[in-house]
Amino acid sequence: MLEVSSSKPLASGSKGFAFWVELVASGLPSVGYISMWFASYCIEARSLPCAQPKVSDEFMASLPSVVVGNTLKLENEFKKNSVTSLPFEKKNHSPINSDKALEPLNLEFREALSLIKEGSEKVESASYVPLLQECIKKKSVSEAEAIHGHIIKMGIHEDLFLMTFLVNVYAKCMMMGSARKVFDNLPKRNVVTWTSLMSGYVQNSQPEVAISVFQEMLEAGGFPTNYTLGVAFNACSLLGHFELGKQIHAYVVKYEIGDDTSIGNALCSLYSKSHNLDSAVKAFQMIADKNVISWTAAISACGDNGDSAMGLSLFVDMLCADVEPNEFTFTSVLSLCCIMQALKIGSQIHSLSIKLGYGSNLRVTNSIMYLYLKNGWIIEAKKLFDGMESISLVTWNAMIAGLAQMMDLGEDGIAAHSSGFEALNTFLRLHHSGMKPDLFTFSSVLSICSSLVALEQGEQIHAQVIKSGFLSDVVVGTSLVSMYNKCGSIDRASKAFVEMSTRTLISWTSMITAFAQHGYSKQALQLFEDMRFVGVRPNKVTFVGVLSACSHAGLVKEALTYFDMMKKEYKIKPVMDHYACLIDMFVRLGRIDEAFDFVKKMDFEPNEFIWSLLIAGCRSHGKLELGFYAAEQLLSLNPKNSEAYFLLLNMYLSAERWKDVSRVRKLMKDEKIGKLKDWSWISIRDKVHSFRTGDQLNPPYENIDNFLSDLHDKASTMGFELHTSLELKNEEDDEATFPIGRHSEKLAVSFGLLNTLSAAPIRVIKSISMCRDCHSFMKFISQLTSRKIIIRDSKRLHKFVDGHCSCGDFGSLV
């Protein structure tokens, strides 16, 4: 190992570079260490090693930002080797005189290739270029190899320009092994040859090899041009090797070439990926001649680093500078509009894109469609979708994902449900179109089935997954586990998990959580230990599932042990959900004081869910004063929470605290709190049936009342008692009164029992949490009818089987 004294100055000029090469040749341990000496040389050297060739704006503007700095500028070489004709002799193909040269543009590619294969006459090196360009266009390796063989046969394989172009051809055809062989057999190389090989490796997702080639070039005494540096910066970006990028940047700073367009673009991208937005913007501002790629790179950097407003501002500056955006600019700026929900700006950009001729561009249309979907403009999005001449799988996926997101943005449960079924119908159209879904399609549509509790549709999609060959994909497998869990089928969720060929942390966590939610605490904890045994490290979400399992089973000692394990062994700082699980456990056991003690130990203020848990526990165990305190805290967190107001009002009514009743009612009037929107809906044979508390039932629902009354009578003989004290009776608003025994989930379950096969489970979604009366009633009905009844309310999943609920009867506390 060559020892270098820090006191020895680095020599300048060519001797300095030779000293650096000698240092490299001595066997330094890493690229990072090598690059440090390269940067030192660049800073100390006194003159720019080589002239920087320039590139036309039109050429750079035609490329997407991802390849800036990766593409070689070979036009100058072409000009040196320009050709107007191919001196091929045409043999036995036409009556034309064989001595007459053929014009290359009049020859079909196949015919010209055939002449090359058959002929033995020597051809000018530049004559191969059009044919090799056609090989790039067609991605034809076999034809490139045939031309390569003819080049060798003709003895012109030492022509540097031609062989450099051949390196580029093999790289574009994804044959880097062949490209490297051509490069290695060259008797001499120039910077264009080195850069061609580097660019090829970057384009073929081998940035680490590109850096290695860059190192070889320096060791061989080659000097990088601005394009070589651009490729090196892009390789650093792909590798995440940002320190090396900064060291190479020292060369750029020293020789004041940061204003070069290709270098500035590459630097902007490098610093953006390193999450250094300030440096990315500075690199952009340094560019003397900003082209569309420069502006797009800067706009994308803002979006990637959380400053969408700056990105939109840059887009306006770009238009003011008379730079016309391309499709990549439009997609970038439209993504910023999505983040900011800037619908008006997005619609103006839509108009601009049409004006500039991008109205039918697939990427731009997809971005606009997704923007409209995300902001609730479903009709406009559908118009774009239906108006497309050809629809790619990306477009189908965007439409399905956008409709899925609309479920979260729906004003109420019915709107969300409608968006979900619209997404499923879109997936059905995709299936009928003959196009095959990919793993992203299946993942999205399985997530929709989870939200809709649509088990039948989920099973059909599962069958398509198997048929399509995606069952082994870990993302799809995990989505299946989650879907079956949320649809209340723990057995099928477990089966899907067991059938997974590979499992990630998310897979393990999903199954642990599923067991916990269904009350299978022992299985959840055993699976957690199995996960640790195979070497998968749990995260904070995993521990939420573990602590939830302990909560369901009342395993206080185990819960506290796992809580300590999380903090001490895995160095995970507790978050709100961990405390919520422990508080839930103490509440279930009636240890209300300990639950409040845990609240005091938290490093942050409790959220709405924790206060709701405490309220339920206090009501159930007679701790009314603590319950009133918790309810007031809940209201202070969310003064517009209508469910919290009705809960608190109901508590005061039950305790006959009339002054507090009047006070809460006044608060509700001041805050303009309307009646509680209690909706439930059930899907039967792909049709959604919705029910609201107090609805006047018309055909085909008119027989539900009699059936429900009959169920009440039968449940009463088994011991069911209607908790009338918990019915809200608002004297000032008759519409807000909840009719005794006719809450929405009872109506939905009754309709399901009347309209499904005797063995079919009933699956209902409810907009608010279940009351204790309905929870108790469902237990009796599940036993009376021998049916599984799955209800997902706003708080949790309830699976009623043979008189028991998966929530561990926590619903009866509400």
Side-chain angles (χ1 to χ4, degrees), residues 293-482:
I293 306 303
S294 312
W295 288 98
T296 303
I299 292 168
S300 298
C302 293
D304 294 340
N305 290 276
D307 198 338
S308 301
M310 181 189 289
L312 290 177
S313 177
L314 284 173
F315 180 68
V316 173
D317 293 342
M318 173 185 176
L319 297 178
C320 293
D322 291 328
V323 178
E324 184 175 305
N326 61 19
E327 62 179 300
F328 301 100
T329 320
F330 278 121
T331 54
S332 295
V333 76
L334 285 166
S335 70
L336 301 182
C337 293
C338 279
I339 294 170
M340 298 185 69
Q341 295 189 335
L343 187 56
K344 289 184 178 180
I345 297 175
S347 60
Q348 292 173 4
I349 293 171
H350 183 189
S351 300
L352 178 62
S353 69
I354 295 172
K355 182 180 179 180
L356 295 179
Y358 291 96
S360 59
N361 183 279
L362 193 58
R363 288 190 180 94
V364 176
T365 304
N366 285 345
S367 298
I368 295 167
M369 186 181 72
Y370 193 74
L371 170 68
Y372 288 162
L373 284 168
K374 190 169 183 180
N375 286 274
W377 282 22
I378 297 180
I379 296 175
E380 289 76 6
K382 285 181 180 177
K383 285 180 181 177
L384 279 173
F385 182 75
D386 294 335
M388 292 183 182
E389 295 178 2
S390 62
I391 303 176
S392 70
L393 184 57
V394 174
T395 309
W396 285 106
N397 287 346
M399 190 68 185
I400 293 169
L403 288 168
Q405 191 169 36
M406 283 301 300
M407 296 180 68
D408 298 328
L409 301 174
E411 295 180 0
D412 52 45
I414 301 301
H417 221 69
S418 177
S419 296
F421 273 95
E422 181 70 27
L424 291 181
N425 289 333
T426 304
F427 174 75
L428 189 62
R429 288 175 59 190
L430 164 63
H431 178 68
H432 289 159
S433 73
M435 190 173 292
K436 293 184 178 180
D438 61 9
L439 64 94
F440 301 106
T441 320
F442 284 123
S443 179
S444 293
V445 79
L446 286 169
S447 175
I448 293 165
C449 291
S450 300
S451 300
L452 294 174
V453 195
L455 181 62
E456 291 179 4
Q457 291 86 346
E459 289 173 334
Q460 294 170 10
I461 293 163
H462 188 176
Q464 289 190 43
V465 167
I466 295 171
K467 186 177 179 180
S468 302
F470 285 106
L471 189 60
S472 60
D473 182 84
V474 68
V475 175
V476 175
T478 303
S479 297
L480 281 168
V481 172
S482 178

Side-chain angles (χ1 to χ4, degrees), residues 224-238:
T225 66
N226 52 347
Y227 305 110
T228 316
L229 294 171
V231 177
F233 283 132
N234 282 323
C236 292
S237 295
L238 292 171

